[in-house]
Amino acid sequence: MDEKQRINQILSGDTSAFGYFVDTYQEMAMAIAFRICQNKEEAEDIAQNAFVKAFKNLHTFKIKSKFSTWFYRIVYNTAQTQMRKSVYKTEFVASKHEELNEQTDDHAVAGIPSEEQEKLIDRAMAKIPNSEAVVLTLFYLEENSIKEVAEIMGLTTSNVKVKLHRGRKNLAEAIKKEGS
Amino acid sequence: MKEDELKDLIKKSKLKPAEGFKDRVMHQIEMEKALTPNREKIKKSRFPETSFAIFGIMYGLIFATGFFLHLRTQENLLDSSLFLKLTILIAAISGVYYLISVFDDSLGSGKLRTR
């Protein structure tokens, strides 16, 4: 059964069919939310609220569109709203990055165990602007196109390209610093 | 750092939610669905179709009565007391039926509540 058939099933009243979408998209929802709030519990909260919102507004989903794009936009907007309301906002203070040294150490993560690499990436992602972290997550984790990333984040494709380019640079720099 | 390397690293950063996440989501959805008041589930009014049917049948009956009487008596229908009485009777019955339909539609769409 494809996603469109499942959506029709849910709209006909079979709530349990929504479980498929929770199973399929929960990890990505967490990843997007985590990139914005930098807290696992809060990311879970955001992801949960996003799923509930998606269910309530499923009747507005255009069946010809891609569900993942529509849903990730909800996650992104929910995360942004929750962060604006959050008392303990952590502001990213843009640090002045030196001109990228083209000869960055390509072996910054070589030899580090896989589990450590995950933590390294999380720490490095936390050091770059949230919007760049989200762009990188959407582009590489789920392999969304530039156009899809732009649609999810409400940006133009040019903006996404710029953020992707800057994000790669900043993340590589952050990984190098964390790894050393 | 090469793009493939960066891509592999980022792929490792996928987060798994805590145990029972799906159950919590589905539970919240079921709760909110159960708490949604029935008031919101308003039936679509079929009043325009019903009105058209009532008045269509009324005029159809009046026309048929007039045609039948004209064939039998060959007189001016407007001078015929029988025709006028039958017309009033048909209009009265249709009027009562129309009022019942209005009342039923109001009840169905939730505009009017009875205890």
Side-chain angles (χ1 to χ4, degrees), chain A residues 13 15 18 23 26-27 34-35 40 44 48 52 55-56 104 106 117-118 121 140-141 143 171, chain B residues 1 3 5-7 10-18 21-22 24 26 28-29 32-33:
Chain A
T15 308
F18 193 73
D23 285 330
Q26 60 181 329
E27 288 179 4
F34 186 75
R35 292 292 163 242
K40 198 184 173 193
E44 252 187 46
Q48 186 171 334
V52 175
F55 178 82
K56 280 185 183 172
T104 35
D106 285 343
Q117 283 184 13
E118 287 173 31
I121 275 293
Y140 287 112
L141 215 54
E143 297 182 352
L171 185 65
Chain B
M1 180 170 276
E3 185 150 332
E5 215 179 290
L6 194 65
K7 187 177 171 180
I10 292 173
K11 278 189 183 287
K12 285 177 182 171
S13 69
K14 231 176 188 175
L15 265 181
K16 269 195 160 61
F21 175 78
K22 181 184 168 183
R24 287 199 298 279
M26 296 309 293
Q28 188 177 343
I29 287 171
E32 298 211 6
K33 195 178 165 188

Side-chain angles (χ1 to χ4, degrees), chain A residues 28-83:
Chain A
M28 194 58 193
M30 282 284 294
I32 295 169
F34 186 75
R35 292 292 163 242
I36 295 171
C37 67
Q38 297 300 324
N39 178 285
K40 198 184 173 193
E41 284 74 30
E42 212 171 331
E44 252 187 46
D45 219 25
I46 289 166
Q48 186 171 334
N49 290 338
F51 275 115
V52 175
K53 274 188 197 172
F55 178 82
K56 280 185 183 172
N57 294 294
L58 203 58
H59 62 281
T60 66
F61 171 68
K62 290 169 193 170
I63 212 81
K64 287 177 185 175
S65 311
K66 202 171 159 188
F67 180 83
S68 59
T69 308
W70 179 77
F71 175 63
Y72 295 152
R73 188 172 169 85
I74 293 174
V75 176
Y76 180 73
N77 289 339
T78 306
Q80 296 280 62
T81 307
Q82 194 140 326
M83 287 315 293

Side-chain angles (χ1 to χ4, degrees), chain A residues 97-159:
Chain A
H97 292 277
E98 291 174 9
E99 279 298 316
L100 178 71
N101 182 355
E102 289 297 329
Q103 292 166 3
T104 35
D105 185 359
D106 285 343
H107 305 293
V109 293
I112 299 175
S114 181
E115 209 180 287
E116 282 301 312
Q117 283 184 13
E118 287 173 31
K119 292 179 184 172
L120 175 71
I121 275 293
D122 284 343
R123 286 198 304 269
M125 281 280 205
K127 290 189 185 311
I128 68 174
N130 288 349
S131 55
E132 289 173 14
V134 174
V135 167
L136 289 171
T137 301
L138 286 168
F139 190 75
Y140 287 112
L141 215 54
E142 191 81 349
E143 297 182 352
N144 289 298
S145 65
I146 301 270
K147 194 180 167 192
E148 284 167 346
V149 175
E151 207 182 311
I152 291 164
M153 294 179 70
L155 301 170
T156 61
T157 51
S158 317
N159 280 359

Side-chain angles (χ1 to χ4, degrees), chain A residues 1-7 9-10 14-26 51 67, chain B residues 22 26:
Chain A
M1 195 186 287
D2 70 0
E3 286 189 348
K4 293 177 181 18
Q5 287 173 313
R6 289 183 199 272
I7 289 169
Q9 203 177 344
I10 295 164
D14 183 6
T15 308
S16 63
F18 193 73
Y20 163 81
F21 293 99
V22 180
D23 285 330
T24 310
Y25 297 105
Q26 60 181 329
F51 275 115
F67 180 83
Chain B
K22 181 184 168 183
M26 296 309 293

Side-chain angles (χ1 to χ4, degrees), chain B residues 52-70:
Chain B
F52 187 77
I54 293 168
F55 291 110
I57 291 169
M58 183 186 86
Y59 286 116
L61 281 172
I62 292 170
F63 179 78
T65 308
F67 183 73
F68 179 71
L69 281 174
H70 181 71

Side-chain angles (χ1 to χ4, degrees), chain B residues 26-43:
Chain B
M26 296 309 293
H27 181 67
Q28 188 177 343
I29 287 171
E30 294 286 355
M31 283 275 286
E32 298 211 6
K33 195 178 165 188
L35 290 170
T36 305
N38 284 329
R39 201 179 305 151
E40 286 182 12
K41 298 168 193 171
I42 292 170
K43 275 196 304 188

